[in-house]
């Protein structure tokens, strides 16, 4: 760690890991309700459990991006963060807003659009958090060296904030409501979040492979171009059955099929850079997470997305367990693993240690990733059976659910294994072994 | 990657291309907005009661169990066409009464069956919610869902 102000990233990483744990616990609870439907039904209904599961995910991922930005901006810009104090205030405001949201949900206070359930004052607090961040990071960027990585990252985060403003627009006409709702949801996860993902992966590749910056940054621009050129009009695959015009079927089919290309480019990029660099970086766990991220994002977002994106298939699969399967692996592969890659890389530097708990961390990687893959398979099979019985044969929804109960048992099993894997990961990141403080750790920064 | 593509060229392609696709997207959204308001939904039947029903739908986070036009949680049945499924086209009064009675009788408490909470809605609120579901079922959704099961 070269710059003192990078330390503020620690707040964000620990905060993110806390909410990560909450997200997984509520996920397991939700999975339990699927097999024991009366479980907690009087105390904590399923809709509240799910709200906490999805919201905790979104908030901890965002918190991770802020942390990643505060960690990498000083190194990229070669200057201290404009105001570390402001960054810490921003963190506590964000964390307080997140915890307040959880309490509100449990008390039944919330708005009612999926993922945007935060009560209005909390939405306003999120905007304030974003404004503090944009002010702080943009001034840091302006006073220092401007690299492609920092530019793309900050452009991505600016658009995250701008697009969130559509969360305040809730038209009375349901079709309009849905159309603009996707401005936040789709243009985040299949648009500007990919900018954040590509720039953080590029940063990690520069640091860990030692490949020339010129080469990596050129790749970065190509990857983010592919992301947005396909992703913006790829929104069409959500405009199929909500009252929007029929031409979106064609646009959605063409552009969302191409959405797999940027994810494939990221796989090629990561593996090619590691091969080309040919360097042995001591933090093997971080490299594993970075490579794993590109691969699992390709399968979860790319392949599983493509599987049901063509309108003639989506006509049958829309809103079934197939969507749930895709959602789980896409978020895990692309954004959870991305955050864990940068956390695993940055924490040893932030704590002035040589990479620690590598074995444990990598066990966490393989256990969690395998369990997420298994969960995705079970939900996919559940979805295929559901599509056939419900959408083709016309059997009633609840009868179909009884037919696929076995898959929900297997999903719960996978969820419990994920919980174990995540416990190992968090433990390996947070609990530093007592052993000798490494003298070389501080000097490793940079390369 | 090819030597002919310089970093600044790649950057210009990124910014230029993004603006290009964004402009197309915004144009199409504008056209779609117009299409929704004039063609695919009954904007003139968007009464105060339907709007109130939408807010009741939101206030109780129905979307986090049910799907509506295929979006939402996948824990409970699709409700975009529940009006049709309950026979609202042939017998509007009967469908309305059945839907209201269903919501009033929850939770069923049956062991091993998914439980819908009791939301304690007044008779007027129940009517408004049904109005919203009826209005939703009349959106032109390009023929989705494939059948009444939703």
């Amino acid at each position: 760690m070269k710059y003192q102000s990078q330390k503020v990233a620690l707040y964000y990483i620990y905060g993110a890991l806390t909410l990560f744990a909450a997200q997984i616990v509520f996920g397991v609870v939700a999975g339990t309700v699927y097999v024991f439907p009366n479980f907690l039904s009087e105390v904590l209904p399923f809709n509240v459990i799910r709200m906490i599961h999805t919201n905790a995910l979104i908030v901890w991922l965002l918190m991770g991006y802020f942390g990643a930005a505060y960690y990498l901006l000083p190194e990229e810009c070669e200057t201290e963060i404009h105001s570390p104090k402001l960054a810490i205030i921003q963190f506590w405001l964000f964390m307080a807003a997140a915890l307040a949201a959880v309490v509100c949900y449990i008390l039944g206070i919330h708005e009612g659009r999926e993922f945007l359930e935060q009560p209005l004052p909390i939405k306003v607090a999120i905007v304030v958090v974003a404004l503090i961040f944009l002010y702080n990071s943009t001034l840091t960027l302006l006073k220092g060296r401007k690299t492609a990585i920092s530019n793309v990252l900050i452009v991505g985060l600016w658009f995250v904030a701008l697009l969130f403003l559509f969360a305040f627009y809730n038209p009375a006409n349901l079709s309009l409501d849905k159309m603009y709702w996707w401005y936040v949801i789709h243009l985040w996860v299949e648009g500007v979040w990919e900018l954040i993902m590509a720039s953080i992966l590029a940063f990690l590749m520069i640091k860990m492979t030692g490949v020339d910056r010129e080469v990596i940054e050129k790749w970065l621009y190509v990857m983010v171009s592919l992301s947005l050129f396909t992703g913006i009009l790829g929104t069409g695959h959500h405009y199929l059955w909500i009252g929007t015009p029929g031409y979106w079927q064609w646009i959605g089919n063409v552009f969302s099929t191409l959405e797999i290309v940027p994810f494939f480019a990221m796989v090629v990029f990561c593996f090619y850079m590691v091969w080309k660099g040919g360097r042995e970086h001591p933090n093997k766990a971080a490299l594993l997470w970075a490579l794993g991220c590109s691969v699992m994002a390709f399968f979860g977002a790319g392949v599983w997305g493509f599987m049901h994106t063509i309108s003639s298939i989506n006509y049958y699969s829309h809103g079934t367990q197939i969507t749930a399967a895709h959602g789980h692996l896409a978020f895990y592969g692309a954004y959870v693993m991305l955050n864990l890659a940068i956390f695993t890389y940055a924490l040893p530097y932030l704590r002035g240690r040589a990479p620690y708990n590598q074995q444990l961390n990598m066990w966490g990687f393989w256990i969690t990733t395998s369990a997420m893959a298994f969960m995705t398979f079970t939900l996919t099979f559940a979805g295929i059976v559901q599509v056939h019985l419900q959408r083709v044969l016309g059997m009633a929804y609840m009868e179909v659910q009884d037919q696929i109960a076995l898959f929900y048992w297997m999903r719960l099993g996978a969820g419990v294994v994920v919980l174990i894997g995540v416990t190992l990961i968090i433990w390996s990141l947070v609990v530093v072994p007592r052993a000798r403080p490494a003298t070389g750790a501080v000097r490793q920064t940079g390369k | 990657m090819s030597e002919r593509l310089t970093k600044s060229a790649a950057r210009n392609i990124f910014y230029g291309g993004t603006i290009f696709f964004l402009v197309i997207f915004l144009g199409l959204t504008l056209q779609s907005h117009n299409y929704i308001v004039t063609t695919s939904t009954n904007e003139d039947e968007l009464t105060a009661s339907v709007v109130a029903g939408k807010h009741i739908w939101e206030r109780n986070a129905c979307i986090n169990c049910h799907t509506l036009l295929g979006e939402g949680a996948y824990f409970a049945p699709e409700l975009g066409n529940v009006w049709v499924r309950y026979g609202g086209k042939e017998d509007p009064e009967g469908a309305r009464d059945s839907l209201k009675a269903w919501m009033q009788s929850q939770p069923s408490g049956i062991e091993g069956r998914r439980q819908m909470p009791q939301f304690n809605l007044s008779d007027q609120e129940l009517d408004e919610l049904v109005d919203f579901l009826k209005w939703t079922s009349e959106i032109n959704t390009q023929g989705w869902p494939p059948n009444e099961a939703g």
Side-chain angles (χ1 to χ4, degrees):
Chain A
M1 200 184 68
K2 276 183 193 156
Y3 299 91
Q4 271 311 307
S5 56
Q6 284 177 291
K7 277 241 185 257
V8 298
L10 273 175
Y11 287 85
Y12 289 85
I13 295 176
Y14 292 148
L17 290 175
T18 308
L19 292 171
F20 183 25
Q23 181 225 331
I24 301 303
V25 169
F26 276 85
V28 172
V29 173
T32 308
V33 176
Y34 262 92
V35 299
F36 297 116
N38 309 77
F39 178 60
L40 291 180
S41 67
E42 304 284 322
V43 194
L44 206 59
F46 182 84
N47 59 348
V48 174
I49 300 169
R50 181 177 188 268
M51 250 187 274
I52 298 174
H53 177 57
T54 56
N55 279 240
L57 167 71
I58 297 165
V59 172
W60 89 255
L61 293 177
L62 287 171
M63 205 172 263
Y65 301 153
F66 290 140
Y70 283 130
Y71 179 81
L72 69 78
L73 273 180
E75 285 189 17
E76 285 296 300
C77 303
E78 296 181 333
T79 178
E80 296 287 351
I81 288 166
H82 173 68
S83 167
K85 197 172 284 176
L86 213 47
I88 293 171
I89 293 172
Q90 182 210 334
F91 167 77
W92 284 114
L93 180 59
F94 198 22
M95 196 69 191
L99 297 177
V102 172
V103 174
C104 285
Y105 294 166
I106 291 173
L107 296 176
I109 304 165
H110 45 71
E111 294 191 355
R113 293 198 294 166
E114 199 186 2
F115 311 132
L116 303 179
E117 296 93 349
Q118 310 81 31
L120 188 62
I122 294 180
K123 282 201 177 78
V124 174
I126 293 172
V127 171
V128 174
V129 165
L131 286 174
I132 297 175
F133 173 79
L134 293 174
Y135 169 80
N136 212 358
S137 59
T138 308
L139 284 188
T140 309
L141 184 68
L142 288 177
K143 76 172 173 175
R145 179 176 69 147
K146 286 147 199 78
T147 66
I149 289 174
S150 55
N151 283 342
V152 170
L153 181 65
I154 296 304
V155 167
L157 285 160
W158 265 96
F159 273 93
V160 166
L162 285 174
L163 290 165
F164 183 70
L165 296 179
F166 282 94
F168 292 90
Y169 177 52
N170 181 10
N173 185 314
L174 182 71
S175 291
L176 288 182
D177 166 356
K178 285 179 174 290
M179 186 170 77
Y180 292 108
W181 180 78
W182 284 114
Y183 267 48
V184 189
I185 309 305
H186 173 93
L187 292 179
W188 268 21
V189 297
E190 295 172 59
V192 294
W193 281 28
E194 285 181 48
L195 268 52
I196 298 167
M197 177 180 171
S199 59
I200 291 176
L201 284 178
F203 174 79
L204 289 172
M205 288 302 133
I206 286 186
K207 296 294 174 180
M208 289 197 285
T209 68
V211 173
D212 188 44
R213 178 180 286 275
E214 279 299 303
V215 177
I216 285 182
E217 294 200 324
K218 196 159 48 170
W219 268 89
L220 174 61
Y221 278 124
V222 171
M223 290 186 295
V224 292
S225 298
L226 290 170
S227 294
L228 292 190
F229 297 178
T230 62
I232 292 173
L233 287 177
T235 316
H237 66 197
H238 301 295
Y239 290 172
L240 305 175
W241 328 116
I242 60 170
T244 30
Y247 59 70
W248 283 109
Q249 292 181 25
W250 290 100
I251 297 171
N253 286 351
V254 171
F255 285 90
S256 70
T257 297
L258 294 172
E259 275 188 55
I260 200 169
V261 177
F263 286 107
F264 187 67
M266 284 192 237
V267 178
V268 175
F269 165 72
C270 288
F271 281 82
Y272 180 53
M273 290 307 141
V274 170
W275 172 77
K276 196 175 154 93
R279 198 144 142 289
E280 287 277 308
H281 190 274
N283 197 332
K284 293 201 166 40
L287 195 58
L288 179 64
W289 280 109
L291 292 172
C293 169
S294 71
V295 173
M296 296 311 285
F298 170 70
F299 281 105
V303 178
W304 253 256
F306 170 68
M307 216 158 64
H308 58 137
T309 198
I310 302 292
S311 59
S312 52
I313 294 171
N314 192 265
Y315 181 69
Y316 293 99
S317 67
H318 181 50
T320 63
Q321 294 300 322
I322 290 179
T323 320
H326 162 58
H328 280 85
L329 199 63
F331 266 97
Y332 175 71
Y335 303 121
V336 170
M337 294 180 87
L338 175 74
N339 268 307
L340 294 174
I342 186 81
F343 295 174
T344 302
Y345 172 79
L347 274 172
Y349 293 125
L350 288 168
R351 301 177 67 166
R353 301 289 298 263
Y356 52 87
N357 292 339
Q358 297 260 309
Q359 292 293 331
L360 190 62
N361 188 321
M362 289 193 269
W363 272 104
F365 170 97
W366 287 110
I367 291 171
T368 311
T369 305
S370 313
M372 284 307 297
F374 187 75
M375 184 186 295
T376 305
F377 297 144
T378 62
L379 290 176
T380 306
F381 288 122
I384 292 167
V385 175
Q386 184 188 5
V387 165
H388 184 70
L389 294 179
Q390 186 181 323
R391 294 283 163 75
V392 180
L393 300 182
M395 194 189 279
Y397 177 90
M398 287 308 295
E399 282 176 51
V400 174
Q401 294 298 309
D402 288 339
Q403 295 295 317
I404 54 182
L406 176 66
F407 295 109
Y408 293 135
W409 276 102
M410 294 196 283
R411 190 264 298 272
L412 178 60
V416 171
V417 179
V418 168
L419 180 63
I420 295 168
V422 168
T423 309
L424 295 183
I425 294 164
I426 295 178
W427 182 277
S428 77
L429 291 175
V430 173
V431 183
V432 184
R434 282 213 164 271
R436 63 218 144 66
T439 44
V442 183
R443 260 182 290 122
Q444 282 173 13
T445 315
K447 289 280 171 164
Chain B
M1 194 164 295
S2 163
E3 294 300 318
R4 271 163 295 177
L5 179 72
T6 63
K7 192 168 94 181
S8 63
R11 184 194 60 210
N12 294 341
I13 290 170
F14 168 60
Y15 286 111
T18 299
I19 291 168
F20 174 76
F21 284 105
L22 211 52
V23 168
I24 294 179
F25 178 68
L26 291 175
L28 290 174
T29 310
L30 208 65
Q31 200 277 336
S32 300
H33 185 123
N34 191 45
Y35 174 86
I36 287 170
V37 176
T38 60
T39 312
S40 66
T41 68
N42 296 324
E43 181 78 8
D44 49 334
E45 288 172 28
L46 198 56
T47 60
S49 177
V50 173
V51 176
K54 182 169 186 277
H55 289 144
I56 293 165
W57 166 270
E58 290 167 357
R59 200 162 61 238
N60 294 292
C62 308
I63 198 87
N64 273 293
C65 285
H66 293 278
T67 50
L68 192 64
L69 305 186
E71 295 164 2
Y74 320 103
F75 184 71
E78 163 69 27
L79 296 185
N81 69 338
V82 71
W83 178 254
V84 180
R85 191 156 64 239
Y86 272 61
K89 276 182 179 167
E90 299 80 33
D91 177 13
E93 286 310 311
R96 179 175 296 270
D97 291 342
S98 309
L99 280 167
K100 286 165 70 175
W102 171 265
M103 288 187 269
Q104 281 167 329
S105 68
Q106 301 304 313
S108 72
I110 299 170
E111 195 59 35
R113 192 180 163 87
R114 294 181 194 173
Q115 298 296 307
M116 176 165 154
Q118 176 52 252
F119 291 107
N120 298 312
L121 301 179
S122 70
D123 196 57
Q124 188 195 343
E125 288 173 320
L126 285 168
D127 270 320
E128 290 165 340
L129 188 51
V130 173
D131 284 340
F132 169 65
L133 293 172
K134 174 178 182 291
W135 186 88
T136 301
S137 75
E138 288 158 1
I139 295 172
N140 175 0
T141 54
Q142 311 286 332
W144 193 91
N147 57 48
E148 277 188 10

